[in-house]
Amino acid sequence: YISLPNPNKNFDLFFRALTILNKKLTRAVHICLTIPIDNSRLIKTMDNFNDSNIVIKNIGKAKKSEVIEVLNSTRVSVFPSLEETFGLPLLEACQLNNFVVCSNLPFAHDVIEPSLTFNPQMEDDIADKMLLALEGDIKKSKVKVKNKLQELFKILLS
């Protein structure tokens, strides 16, 4: 989950979903997070997963190059956000061939066709969909929006 821990990003529920997922796992699963080290509350929550099947790597506040490196080295990206302004993280993950598992909310469906969706208010649903993504044969995510940046530049420069 690549995101700053703003309230709309739903980290508390995400961690509760990871606790449920951990009970269902028979092997280790590696999770990469981008929580700034000065967020002591969430850093402490990550410590609850020591000696579990959930292996968390926190890279802190990430640079763009680190985000791309993480997305290139992962198979599944999970986004339990409650709202997004445009959904750029979803697009980036999708463009880098990640399976995208995200909240079943309009912003997600506006920009991509997710691999799986869940109710972002229900930790059980999030855990179940993460497990399905890890063990199931799920469809690839697809980008819905077209990159029209060059057309925008032409309009702005004319």
mmCIF file of all heavy atoms in Angstrom, residues 1 8-11 13-15 17-18 21 76-84 90 99-109 112 114-133 138:
data_model
loop_
_atom_site.group_PDB
_atom_site.id
_atom_site.type_symbol
_atom_site.label_atom_id
_atom_site.label_comp_id
_atom_site.label_asym_id
_atom_site.label_seq_id
_atom_site.Cartn_x
_atom_site.Cartn_y
_atom_site.Cartn_z
ATOM 1 N N TYR A 1 0.858 -1.169 0.000
ATOM 2 C CA TYR A 1 0.000 0.000 0.000
ATOM 3 C C TYR A 1 0.897 1.222 0.000
ATOM 4 O O TYR A 1 1.558 1.525 0.983
ATOM 5 C CB TYR A 1 -0.913 -0.052 1.217
ATOM 6 C CG TYR A 1 -1.949 1.048 1.294
ATOM 7 C CD1 TYR A 1 -2.362 1.733 0.174
ATOM 8 C CD2 TYR A 1 -2.524 1.371 2.496
ATOM 9 C CE1 TYR A 1 -3.318 2.723 0.256
ATOM 10 C CE2 TYR A 1 -3.491 2.354 2.600
ATOM 11 C CZ TYR A 1 -3.886 3.030 1.475
ATOM 12 O OH TYR A 1 -4.827 3.997 1.568
ATOM 13 N N ASN A 8 -8.240 9.641 5.183
ATOM 14 C CA ASN A 8 -9.014 9.029 4.099
ATOM 15 C C ASN A 8 -8.336 7.794 3.510
ATOM 16 O O ASN A 8 -8.950 7.052 2.750
ATOM 17 C CB ASN A 8 -9.292 10.039 2.992
ATOM 18 C CG ASN A 8 -8.034 10.520 2.303
ATOM 19 O OD1 ASN A 8 -7.120 11.031 2.953
ATOM 20 N ND2 ASN A 8 -7.979 10.388 0.994
ATOM 21 N N LYS A 9 -7.093 7.552 3.869
ATOM 22 C CA LYS A 9 -6.372 6.397 3.332
ATOM 23 C C LYS A 9 -6.678 5.108 4.091
ATOM 24 O O LYS A 9 -6.264 4.033 3.684
ATOM 25 C CB LYS A 9 -4.865 6.659 3.328
ATOM 26 C CG LYS A 9 -4.473 7.859 2.460
ATOM 27 C CD LYS A 9 -4.927 7.680 1.028
ATOM 28 C CE LYS A 9 -4.435 8.839 0.176
ATOM 29 N NZ LYS A 9 -4.648 8.622 -1.226
ATOM 30 N N ASN A 10 -7.367 5.223 5.240
ATOM 31 C CA ASN A 10 -7.960 4.049 5.884
ATOM 32 C C ASN A 10 -6.936 3.066 6.467
ATOM 33 O O ASN A 10 -7.165 1.859 6.467
ATOM 34 C CB ASN A 10 -8.866 3.345 4.871
ATOM 35 C CG ASN A 10 -10.102 2.732 5.479
ATOM 36 O OD1 ASN A 10 -10.404 2.923 6.641
ATOM 37 N ND2 ASN A 10 -10.819 1.973 4.671
ATOM 38 N N PHE A 11 -5.822 3.566 6.961
ATOM 39 C CA PHE A 11 -4.775 2.682 7.476
ATOM 40 C C PHE A 11 -5.200 1.861 8.687
ATOM 41 O O PHE A 11 -4.803 0.710 8.814
ATOM 42 C CB PHE A 11 -3.504 3.471 7.810
ATOM 43 C CG PHE A 11 -2.530 3.530 6.672
ATOM 44 C CD1 PHE A 11 -2.530 4.610 5.805
ATOM 45 C CD2 PHE A 11 -1.621 2.510 6.455
ATOM 46 C CE1 PHE A 11 -1.647 4.664 4.743
ATOM 47 C CE2 PHE A 11 -0.735 2.557 5.405
ATOM 48 C CZ PHE A 11 -0.742 3.637 4.545
ATOM 49 N N LEU A 13 -8.122 0.591 9.476
ATOM 50 C CA LEU A 13 -8.893 -0.558 9.015
ATOM 51 C C LEU A 13 -8.010 -1.528 8.231
ATOM 52 O O LEU A 13 -8.159 -2.745 8.337
ATOM 53 C CB LEU A 13 -10.079 -0.100 8.161
ATOM 54 C CG LEU A 13 -11.163 -1.166 8.018
ATOM 55 C CD1 LEU A 13 -12.138 -1.065 9.184
ATOM 56 C CD2 LEU A 13 -11.898 -0.981 6.724
ATOM 57 N N PHE A 14 -7.072 -1.002 7.462
ATOM 58 C CA PHE A 14 -6.142 -1.843 6.708
ATOM 59 C C PHE A 14 -5.343 -2.738 7.654
ATOM 60 O O PHE A 14 -5.200 -3.937 7.410
ATOM 61 C CB PHE A 14 -5.208 -0.962 5.879
ATOM 62 C CG PHE A 14 -4.183 -1.716 5.093
ATOM 63 C CD1 PHE A 14 -4.553 -2.508 4.022
ATOM 64 C CD2 PHE A 14 -2.838 -1.623 5.414
ATOM 65 C CE1 PHE A 14 -3.601 -3.204 3.272
ATOM 66 C CE2 PHE A 14 -1.884 -2.316 4.677
ATOM 67 C CZ PHE A 14 -2.260 -3.105 3.605
ATOM 68 N N PHE A 15 -4.865 -2.183 8.766
ATOM 69 C CA PHE A 15 -4.116 -2.991 9.733
ATOM 70 C C PHE A 15 -5.002 -4.040 10.396
ATOM 71 O O PHE A 15 -4.558 -5.163 10.643
ATOM 72 C CB PHE A 15 -3.440 -2.112 10.781
ATOM 73 C CG PHE A 15 -2.154 -1.495 10.302
ATOM 74 C CD1 PHE A 15 -1.978 -0.127 10.308
ATOM 75 C CD2 PHE A 15 -1.104 -2.288 9.851
ATOM 76 C CE1 PHE A 15 -0.792 0.445 9.872
ATOM 77 C CE2 PHE A 15 0.085 -1.735 9.409
ATOM 78 C CZ PHE A 15 0.241 -0.361 9.420
ATOM 79 N N ALA A 17 -7.483 -5.463 8.917
ATOM 80 C CA ALA A 17 -7.630 -6.474 7.857
ATOM 81 C C ALA A 17 -6.383 -7.361 7.791
ATOM 82 O O ALA A 17 -6.491 -8.573 7.589
ATOM 83 C CB ALA A 17 -7.884 -5.803 6.510
ATOM 84 N N LEU A 18 -5.207 -6.770 7.974
ATOM 85 C CA LEU A 18 -3.977 -7.572 7.974
ATOM 86 C C LEU A 18 -3.958 -8.560 9.135
ATOM 87 O O LEU A 18 -3.466 -9.687 8.992
ATOM 88 C CB LEU A 18 -2.739 -6.672 8.035
ATOM 89 C CG LEU A 18 -2.379 -5.899 6.780
ATOM 90 C CD1 LEU A 18 -1.145 -5.028 7.026
ATOM 91 C CD2 LEU A 18 -2.147 -6.831 5.591
ATOM 92 N N LEU A 21 -6.131 -11.337 7.979
ATOM 93 C CA LEU A 21 -5.422 -12.067 6.926
ATOM 94 C C LEU A 21 -4.339 -12.958 7.521
ATOM 95 O O LEU A 21 -4.180 -14.113 7.107
ATOM 96 C CB LEU A 21 -4.806 -11.085 5.926
ATOM 97 C CG LEU A 21 -3.958 -11.686 4.808
ATOM 98 C CD1 LEU A 21 -4.802 -12.578 3.898
ATOM 99 C CD2 LEU A 21 -3.275 -10.574 4.009
ATOM 100 N N VAL A 76 0.818 -7.413 -6.329
ATOM 101 C CA VAL A 76 -0.508 -6.922 -5.964
ATOM 102 C C VAL A 76 -0.369 -5.607 -5.205
ATOM 103 O O VAL A 76 0.443 -5.505 -4.292
ATOM 104 C CB VAL A 76 -1.258 -7.941 -5.070
ATOM 105 C CG1 VAL A 76 -2.614 -7.393 -4.647
ATOM 106 C CG2 VAL A 76 -1.407 -9.278 -5.768
ATOM 107 N N SER A 77 -1.159 -4.618 -5.576
ATOM 108 C CA SER A 77 -1.239 -3.371 -4.828
ATOM 109 C C SER A 77 -2.639 -3.258 -4.241
ATOM 110 O O SER A 77 -3.626 -3.487 -4.933
ATOM 111 C CB SER A 77 -0.970 -2.166 -5.733
ATOM 112 O OG SER A 77 0.370 -2.155 -6.149
ATOM 113 N N VAL A 78 -2.689 -2.914 -2.960
ATOM 114 C CA VAL A 78 -3.957 -2.809 -2.244
ATOM 115 C C VAL A 78 -4.168 -1.354 -1.864
ATOM 116 O O VAL A 78 -3.274 -0.720 -1.309
ATOM 117 C CB VAL A 78 -3.954 -3.697 -0.980
ATOM 118 C CG1 VAL A 78 -5.271 -3.576 -0.231
ATOM 119 C CG2 VAL A 78 -3.664 -5.155 -1.347
ATOM 120 N N PHE A 79 -5.366 -0.839 -2.159
ATOM 121 C CA PHE A 79 -5.705 0.554 -1.871
ATOM 122 C C PHE A 79 -7.056 0.614 -1.158
ATOM 123 O O PHE A 79 -8.091 0.625 -1.815
ATOM 124 C CB PHE A 79 -5.765 1.381 -3.161
ATOM 125 C CG PHE A 79 -4.447 1.482 -3.865
ATOM 126 C CD1 PHE A 79 -4.136 0.621 -4.907
ATOM 127 C CD2 PHE A 79 -3.505 2.434 -3.483
ATOM 128 C CE1 PHE A 79 -2.922 0.710 -5.567
ATOM 129 C CE2 PHE A 79 -2.287 2.529 -4.127
ATOM 130 C CZ PHE A 79 -1.991 1.667 -5.169
ATOM 131 N N PRO A 80 -7.040 0.670 0.175
ATOM 132 C CA PRO A 80 -8.308 0.738 0.919
ATOM 133 C C PRO A 80 -8.828 2.159 1.144
ATOM 134 O O PRO A 80 -9.615 2.401 2.053
ATOM 135 C CB PRO A 80 -7.942 0.077 2.251
ATOM 136 C CG PRO A 80 -6.505 0.426 2.435
ATOM 137 C CD PRO A 80 -5.900 0.425 1.051
ATOM 138 N N SER A 81 -8.409 3.092 0.319
ATOM 139 C CA SER A 81 -8.803 4.494 0.478
ATOM 140 C C SER A 81 -10.308 4.669 0.484
ATOM 141 O O SER A 81 -11.035 3.954 -0.214
ATOM 142 C CB SER A 81 -8.237 5.341 -0.659
ATOM 143 O OG SER A 81 -6.845 5.292 -0.674
ATOM 144 N N LEU A 82 -10.737 5.665 1.241
ATOM 145 C CA LEU A 82 -12.154 6.023 1.281
ATOM 146 C C LEU A 82 -12.496 7.084 0.252
ATOM 147 O O LEU A 82 -13.644 7.214 -0.156
ATOM 148 C CB LEU A 82 -12.525 6.522 2.680
ATOM 149 C CG LEU A 82 -12.361 5.479 3.778
ATOM 150 C CD1 LEU A 82 -12.537 6.120 5.149
ATOM 151 C CD2 LEU A 82 -13.317 4.323 3.571
ATOM 152 N N GLU A 83 -11.492 7.853 -0.174
ATOM 153 C CA GLU A 83 -11.680 8.829 -1.245
ATOM 154 C C GLU A 83 -10.327 9.166 -1.861
ATOM 155 O O GLU A 83 -9.288 9.043 -1.223
ATOM 156 C CB GLU A 83 -12.383 10.093 -0.752
ATOM 157 C CG GLU A 83 -11.609 10.901 0.260
ATOM 158 C CD GLU A 83 -12.368 12.141 0.715
ATOM 159 O OE1 GLU A 83 -13.229 12.010 1.586
ATOM 160 O OE2 GLU A 83 -12.067 13.227 0.178
ATOM 161 N N GLU A 84 -10.373 9.547 -3.108
ATOM 162 C CA GLU A 84 -9.194 9.978 -3.854
ATOM 163 C C GLU A 84 -9.616 11.154 -4.715
ATOM 164 O O GLU A 84 -10.764 11.227 -5.141
ATOM 165 C CB GLU A 84 -8.674 8.858 -4.769
ATOM 166 C CG GLU A 84 -8.088 7.664 -4.066
ATOM 167 C CD GLU A 84 -6.702 7.902 -3.500
ATOM 168 O OE1 GLU A 84 -6.011 8.842 -3.952
ATOM 169 O OE2 GLU A 84 -6.317 7.170 -2.588
ATOM 170 N N LEU A 90 -3.619 4.373 -8.139
ATOM 171 C CA LEU A 90 -4.264 3.245 -8.815
ATOM 172 C C LEU A 90 -3.760 3.122 -10.248
ATOM 173 O O LEU A 90 -3.446 2.023 -10.725
ATOM 174 C CB LEU A 90 -5.788 3.423 -8.817
ATOM 175 C CG LEU A 90 -6.484 3.510 -7.470
ATOM 176 C CD1 LEU A 90 -7.909 4.001 -7.636
ATOM 177 C CD2 LEU A 90 -6.469 2.178 -6.782
ATOM 178 N N PHE A 99 -1.652 -6.270 -10.032
ATOM 179 C CA PHE A 99 -3.060 -6.551 -9.803
ATOM 180 C C PHE A 99 -3.488 -5.514 -8.774
ATOM 181 O O PHE A 99 -2.849 -5.366 -7.741
ATOM 182 C CB PHE A 99 -3.263 -7.961 -9.250
ATOM 183 C CG PHE A 99 -2.933 -9.046 -10.232
ATOM 184 C CD1 PHE A 99 -1.680 -9.637 -10.236
ATOM 185 C CD2 PHE A 99 -3.880 -9.484 -11.145
ATOM 186 C CE1 PHE A 99 -1.368 -10.636 -11.134
ATOM 187 C CE2 PHE A 99 -3.578 -10.493 -12.048
ATOM 188 C CZ PHE A 99 -2.318 -11.068 -12.044
ATOM 189 N N VAL A 100 -4.544 -4.770 -9.053
ATOM 190 C CA VAL A 100 -4.993 -3.724 -8.145
ATOM 191 C C VAL A 100 -6.251 -4.188 -7.427
ATOM 192 O O VAL A 100 -7.251 -4.523 -8.053
ATOM 193 C CB VAL A 100 -5.250 -2.393 -8.891
ATOM 194 C CG1 VAL A 100 -5.768 -1.337 -7.927
ATOM 195 C CG2 VAL A 100 -3.973 -1.921 -9.584
ATOM 196 N N VAL A 101 -6.152 -4.212 -6.099
ATOM 197 C CA VAL A 101 -7.256 -4.591 -5.229
ATOM 198 C C VAL A 101 -7.593 -3.332 -4.434
ATOM 199 O O VAL A 101 -6.743 -2.814 -3.714
ATOM 200 C CB VAL A 101 -6.835 -5.753 -4.294
ATOM 201 C CG1 VAL A 101 -7.974 -6.151 -3.385
ATOM 202 C CG2 VAL A 101 -6.338 -6.942 -5.119
ATOM 203 N N CYS A 102 -8.814 -2.838 -4.596
ATOM 204 C CA CYS A 102 -9.109 -1.524 -4.031
ATOM 205 C C CYS A 102 -10.559 -1.400 -3.570
ATOM 206 O O CYS A 102 -11.377 -2.293 -3.791
ATOM 207 C CB CYS A 102 -8.790 -0.438 -5.047
ATOM 208 S SG CYS A 102 -9.762 -0.531 -6.557
ATOM 209 N N SER A 103 -10.818 -0.268 -2.949
ATOM 210 C CA SER A 103 -12.165 0.059 -2.476
ATOM 211 C C SER A 103 -13.147 0.080 -3.639
ATOM 212 O O SER A 103 -12.842 0.584 -4.714
ATOM 213 C CB SER A 103 -12.154 1.439 -1.814
ATOM 214 O OG SER A 103 -11.271 1.445 -0.715
ATOM 215 N N ASN A 104 -14.313 -0.456 -3.379
ATOM 216 C CA ASN A 104 -15.371 -0.459 -4.388
ATOM 217 C C ASN A 104 -16.119 0.864 -4.310
ATOM 218 O O ASN A 104 -17.255 0.942 -3.851
ATOM 219 C CB ASN A 104 -16.311 -1.640 -4.169
ATOM 220 C CG ASN A 104 -17.263 -1.832 -5.327
ATOM 221 O OD1 ASN A 104 -17.107 -1.225 -6.373
ATOM 222 N ND2 ASN A 104 -18.260 -2.674 -5.134
ATOM 223 N N LEU A 105 -15.428 1.909 -4.744
ATOM 224 C CA LEU A 105 -15.972 3.260 -4.724
ATOM 225 C C LEU A 105 -15.802 3.892 -6.104
ATOM 226 O O LEU A 105 -14.925 3.477 -6.872
ATOM 227 C CB LEU A 105 -15.261 4.094 -3.656
ATOM 228 C CG LEU A 105 -15.531 3.647 -2.207
ATOM 229 C CD1 LEU A 105 -14.635 4.394 -1.232
ATOM 230 C CD2 LEU A 105 -16.999 3.838 -1.844
ATOM 231 N N PRO A 106 -16.616 4.890 -6.431
ATOM 232 C CA PRO A 106 -16.595 5.457 -7.777
ATOM 233 C C PRO A 106 -15.228 5.915 -8.276
ATOM 234 O O PRO A 106 -14.910 5.704 -9.450
ATOM 235 C CB PRO A 106 -17.567 6.645 -7.680
ATOM 236 C CG PRO A 106 -18.518 6.256 -6.603
ATOM 237 C CD PRO A 106 -17.693 5.492 -5.609
ATOM 238 N N PHE A 107 -14.393 6.514 -7.418
ATOM 239 C CA PHE A 107 -13.111 7.017 -7.900
ATOM 240 C C PHE A 107 -12.264 5.918 -8.520
ATOM 241 O O PHE A 107 -11.553 6.156 -9.488
ATOM 242 C CB PHE A 107 -12.322 7.738 -6.790
ATOM 243 C CG PHE A 107 -11.854 6.838 -5.679
ATOM 244 C CD1 PHE A 107 -10.707 6.071 -5.801
ATOM 245 C CD2 PHE A 107 -12.551 6.782 -4.484
ATOM 246 C CE1 PHE A 107 -10.271 5.250 -4.780
ATOM 247 C CE2 PHE A 107 -12.119 5.969 -3.446
ATOM 248 C CZ PHE A 107 -10.981 5.193 -3.598
ATOM 249 N N ALA A 108 -12.327 4.713 -7.968
ATOM 250 C CA ALA A 108 -11.540 3.607 -8.519
ATOM 251 C C ALA A 108 -12.036 3.223 -9.908
ATOM 252 O O ALA A 108 -11.256 3.069 -10.842
ATOM 253 C CB ALA A 108 -11.588 2.405 -7.583
ATOM 254 N N HIS A 109 -13.327 3.097 -10.032
ATOM 255 C CA HIS A 109 -13.920 2.680 -11.304
ATOM 256 C C HIS A 109 -13.847 3.775 -12.364
ATOM 257 O O HIS A 109 -13.983 3.491 -13.552
ATOM 258 C CB HIS A 109 -15.362 2.226 -11.090
ATOM 259 C CG HIS A 109 -15.470 1.047 -10.180
ATOM 260 N ND1 HIS A 109 -15.154 -0.234 -10.578
ATOM 261 C CD2 HIS A 109 -15.833 0.960 -8.879
ATOM 262 C CE1 HIS A 109 -15.339 -1.068 -9.569
ATOM 263 N NE2 HIS A 109 -15.741 -0.361 -8.525
ATOM 264 N N ILE A 112 -9.710 3.017 -13.433
ATOM 265 C CA ILE A 112 -9.237 1.681 -13.798
ATOM 266 C C ILE A 112 -10.369 0.667 -13.699
ATOM 267 O O ILE A 112 -11.420 0.946 -13.128
ATOM 268 C CB ILE A 112 -8.063 1.203 -12.904
ATOM 269 C CG1 ILE A 112 -8.522 0.981 -11.463
ATOM 270 C CG2 ILE A 112 -6.880 2.144 -12.985
ATOM 271 C CD1 ILE A 112 -7.533 0.230 -10.596
ATOM 272 N N PRO A 114 -10.435 -2.483 -11.705
ATOM 273 C CA PRO A 114 -9.626 -3.186 -10.707
ATOM 274 C C PRO A 114 -9.676 -4.696 -10.877
ATOM 275 O O PRO A 114 -10.626 -5.249 -11.439
ATOM 276 C CB PRO A 114 -10.272 -2.786 -9.376
ATOM 277 C CG PRO A 114 -11.242 -1.703 -9.683
ATOM 278 C CD PRO A 114 -11.571 -1.785 -11.129
ATOM 279 N N SER A 115 -8.660 -5.343 -10.360
ATOM 280 C CA SER A 115 -8.654 -6.809 -10.344
ATOM 281 C C SER A 115 -9.726 -7.325 -9.394
ATOM 282 O O SER A 115 -10.449 -8.261 -9.717
ATOM 283 C CB SER A 115 -7.290 -7.327 -9.893
ATOM 284 O OG SER A 115 -6.291 -6.936 -10.792
ATOM 285 N N LEU A 116 -9.804 -6.720 -8.229
ATOM 286 C CA LEU A 116 -10.811 -7.056 -7.220
ATOM 287 C C LEU A 116 -11.176 -5.784 -6.472
ATOM 288 O O LEU A 116 -10.350 -4.878 -6.349
ATOM 289 C CB LEU A 116 -10.266 -8.063 -6.202
ATOM 290 C CG LEU A 116 -9.925 -9.463 -6.661
ATOM 291 C CD1 LEU A 116 -9.166 -10.209 -5.560
ATOM 292 C CD2 LEU A 116 -11.188 -10.225 -7.035
ATOM 293 N N THR A 117 -12.381 -5.745 -5.944
ATOM 294 C CA THR A 117 -12.776 -4.629 -5.088
ATOM 295 C C THR A 117 -13.333 -5.173 -3.779
ATOM 296 O O THR A 117 -13.730 -6.338 -3.688
ATOM 297 C CB THR A 117 -13.838 -3.731 -5.752
ATOM 298 O OG1 THR A 117 -15.003 -4.508 -6.026
ATOM 299 C CG2 THR A 117 -13.303 -3.089 -7.020
ATOM 300 N N PHE A 118 -13.366 -4.306 -2.783
ATOM 301 C CA PHE A 118 -13.899 -4.664 -1.471
ATOM 302 C C PHE A 118 -14.634 -3.474 -0.881
ATOM 303 O O PHE A 118 -14.485 -2.344 -1.334
ATOM 304 C CB PHE A 118 -12.783 -5.122 -0.520
ATOM 305 C CG PHE A 118 -11.605 -4.183 -0.459
ATOM 306 C CD1 PHE A 118 -11.679 -2.963 0.199
ATOM 307 C CD2 PHE A 118 -10.408 -4.531 -1.074
ATOM 308 C CE1 PHE A 118 -10.595 -2.114 0.250
ATOM 309 C CE2 PHE A 118 -9.313 -3.681 -1.026
ATOM 310 C CZ PHE A 118 -9.409 -2.469 -0.358
ATOM 311 N N ASN A 119 -15.402 -3.759 0.151
ATOM 312 C CA ASN A 119 -16.056 -2.711 0.916
ATOM 313 C C ASN A 119 -14.999 -2.127 1.856
ATOM 314 O O ASN A 119 -14.508 -2.831 2.740
ATOM 315 C CB ASN A 119 -17.226 -3.292 1.712
ATOM 316 C CG ASN A 119 -17.952 -2.246 2.534
ATOM 317 O OD1 ASN A 119 -17.386 -1.249 2.962
ATOM 318 N ND2 ASN A 119 -19.227 -2.501 2.788
ATOM 319 N N PRO A 120 -14.636 -0.842 1.708
ATOM 320 C CA PRO A 120 -13.558 -0.271 2.506
ATOM 321 C C PRO A 120 -13.919 -0.019 3.969
ATOM 322 O O PRO A 120 -13.088 0.442 4.739
ATOM 323 C CB PRO A 120 -13.258 1.050 1.791
ATOM 324 C CG PRO A 120 -14.549 1.438 1.173
ATOM 325 C CD PRO A 120 -15.189 0.131 0.762
ATOM 326 N N GLN A 121 -15.149 -0.352 4.346
ATOM 327 C CA GLN A 121 -15.576 -0.220 5.737
ATOM 328 C C GLN A 121 -15.543 -1.561 6.467
ATOM 329 O O GLN A 121 -15.810 -1.614 7.663
ATOM 330 C CB GLN A 121 -17.005 0.352 5.800
ATOM 331 C CG GLN A 121 -17.180 1.680 5.123
ATOM 332 C CD GLN A 121 -16.501 2.825 5.851
ATOM 333 O OE1 GLN A 121 -16.122 2.713 7.014
ATOM 334 N NE2 GLN A 121 -16.315 3.931 5.167
ATOM 335 N N MET A 122 -15.228 -2.641 5.729
ATOM 336 C CA MET A 122 -15.298 -3.982 6.314
ATOM 337 C C MET A 122 -13.940 -4.681 6.235
ATOM 338 O O MET A 122 -13.531 -5.139 5.164
ATOM 339 C CB MET A 122 -16.362 -4.810 5.592
ATOM 340 C CG MET A 122 -17.767 -4.245 5.736
ATOM 341 S SD MET A 122 -19.007 -5.230 4.868
ATOM 342 C CE MET A 122 -18.814 -6.802 5.682
ATOM 343 N N GLU A 123 -13.278 -4.783 7.380
ATOM 344 C CA GLU A 123 -11.956 -5.403 7.392
ATOM 345 C C GLU A 123 -11.981 -6.865 6.942
ATOM 346 O O GLU A 123 -11.042 -7.343 6.321
ATOM 347 C CB GLU A 123 -11.275 -5.248 8.749
ATOM 348 C CG GLU A 123 -12.019 -5.878 9.888
ATOM 349 C CD GLU A 123 -12.493 -4.885 10.932
ATOM 350 O OE1 GLU A 123 -12.731 -3.716 10.618
ATOM 351 O OE2 GLU A 123 -12.639 -5.307 12.079
ATOM 352 N N ASP A 124 -13.076 -7.581 7.225
ATOM 353 C CA ASP A 124 -13.186 -8.975 6.773
ATOM 354 C C ASP A 124 -13.170 -9.059 5.254
ATOM 355 O O ASP A 124 -12.532 -9.948 4.679
ATOM 356 C CB ASP A 124 -14.469 -9.629 7.294
ATOM 357 C CG ASP A 124 -14.426 -9.916 8.780
ATOM 358 O OD1 ASP A 124 -13.328 -10.124 9.315
ATOM 359 O OD2 ASP A 124 -15.503 -9.921 9.408
ATOM 360 N N ASP A 125 -13.878 -8.158 4.606
ATOM 361 C CA ASP A 125 -13.936 -8.152 3.140
ATOM 362 C C ASP A 125 -12.560 -7.818 2.556
ATOM 363 O O ASP A 125 -12.122 -8.444 1.593
ATOM 364 C CB ASP A 125 -14.995 -7.165 2.655
ATOM 365 C CG ASP A 125 -15.331 -7.341 1.178
ATOM 366 O OD1 ASP A 125 -15.199 -8.463 0.653
ATOM 367 O OD2 ASP A 125 -15.742 -6.341 0.550
ATOM 368 N N ILE A 126 -11.876 -6.858 3.156
ATOM 369 C CA ILE A 126 -10.527 -6.501 2.686
ATOM 370 C C ILE A 126 -9.597 -7.707 2.830
ATOM 371 O O ILE A 126 -8.877 -8.059 1.899
ATOM 372 C CB ILE A 126 -9.978 -5.282 3.455
ATOM 373 C CG1 ILE A 126 -10.853 -4.053 3.187
ATOM 374 C CG2 ILE A 126 -8.524 -5.008 3.067
ATOM 375 C CD1 ILE A 126 -10.532 -2.858 4.071
ATOM 376 N N ALA A 127 -9.635 -8.352 3.994
ATOM 377 C CA ALA A 127 -8.778 -9.528 4.227
ATOM 378 C C ALA A 127 -9.093 -10.643 3.233
ATOM 379 O O ALA A 127 -8.178 -11.260 2.670
ATOM 380 C CB ALA A 127 -8.939 -10.026 5.662
ATOM 381 N N ASP A 128 -10.380 -10.903 3.006
ATOM 382 C CA ASP A 128 -10.771 -11.967 2.071
ATOM 383 C C ASP A 128 -10.278 -11.673 0.656
ATOM 384 O O ASP A 128 -9.795 -12.565 -0.042
ATOM 385 C CB ASP A 128 -12.294 -12.139 2.053
ATOM 386 C CG ASP A 128 -12.828 -12.769 3.328
ATOM 387 O OD1 ASP A 128 -12.034 -13.352 4.107
ATOM 388 O OD2 ASP A 128 -14.056 -12.668 3.558
ATOM 389 N N LYS A 129 -10.391 -10.419 0.215
ATOM 390 C CA LYS A 129 -9.962 -10.073 -1.137
ATOM 391 C C LYS A 129 -8.432 -10.107 -1.255
ATOM 392 O O LYS A 129 -7.896 -10.506 -2.294
ATOM 393 C CB LYS A 129 -10.507 -8.705 -1.555
ATOM 394 C CG LYS A 129 -12.026 -8.670 -1.642
ATOM 395 C CD LYS A 129 -12.585 -9.688 -2.595
ATOM 396 C CE LYS A 129 -14.075 -9.828 -2.687
ATOM 397 N NZ LYS A 129 -15.015 -8.936 -2.159
ATOM 398 N N MET A 130 -7.725 -9.720 -0.193
ATOM 399 C CA MET A 130 -6.263 -9.829 -0.233
ATOM 400 C C MET A 130 -5.849 -11.300 -0.333
ATOM 401 O O MET A 130 -4.952 -11.647 -1.106
ATOM 402 C CB MET A 130 -5.623 -9.166 0.994
ATOM 403 C CG MET A 130 -5.640 -7.653 0.929
ATOM 404 S SD MET A 130 -4.616 -6.842 2.185
ATOM 405 C CE MET A 130 -5.527 -7.184 3.682
ATOM 406 N N LEU A 131 -6.519 -12.171 0.416
ATOM 407 C CA LEU A 131 -6.211 -13.595 0.350
ATOM 408 C C LEU A 131 -6.513 -14.148 -1.041
ATOM 409 O O LEU A 131 -5.706 -14.899 -1.601
ATOM 410 C CB LEU A 131 -7.002 -14.363 1.413
ATOM 411 C CG LEU A 131 -6.680 -15.850 1.533
ATOM 412 C CD1 LEU A 131 -5.217 -16.063 1.935
ATOM 413 C CD2 LEU A 131 -7.609 -16.518 2.535
ATOM 414 N N LEU A 132 -7.627 -13.767 -1.607
ATOM 415 C CA LEU A 132 -7.978 -14.197 -2.963
ATOM 416 C C LEU A 132 -6.927 -13.731 -3.966
ATOM 417 O O LEU A 132 -6.524 -14.485 -4.854
ATOM 418 C CB LEU A 132 -9.362 -13.676 -3.338
ATOM 419 C CG LEU A 132 -9.915 -14.104 -4.691
ATOM 420 C CD1 LEU A 132 -10.009 -15.613 -4.794
ATOM 421 C CD2 LEU A 132 -11.290 -13.468 -4.909
ATOM 422 N N ALA A 133 -6.449 -12.512 -3.809
ATOM 423 C CA ALA A 133 -5.417 -11.987 -4.715
ATOM 424 C C ALA A 133 -4.113 -12.769 -4.565
ATOM 425 O O ALA A 133 -3.393 -12.966 -5.541
ATOM 426 C CB ALA A 133 -5.171 -10.509 -4.441
ATOM 427 N N ILE A 138 -6.792 -14.181 -10.543
ATOM 428 C CA ILE A 138 -7.617 -12.987 -10.716
ATOM 429 C C ILE A 138 -7.249 -12.285 -12.012
ATOM 430 O O ILE A 138 -6.162 -12.486 -12.555
ATOM 431 C CB ILE A 138 -7.510 -12.035 -9.505
ATOM 432 C CG1 ILE A 138 -6.074 -11.543 -9.309
ATOM 433 C CG2 ILE A 138 -8.018 -12.718 -8.241
ATOM 434 C CD1 ILE A 138 -5.921 -10.502 -8.219
#
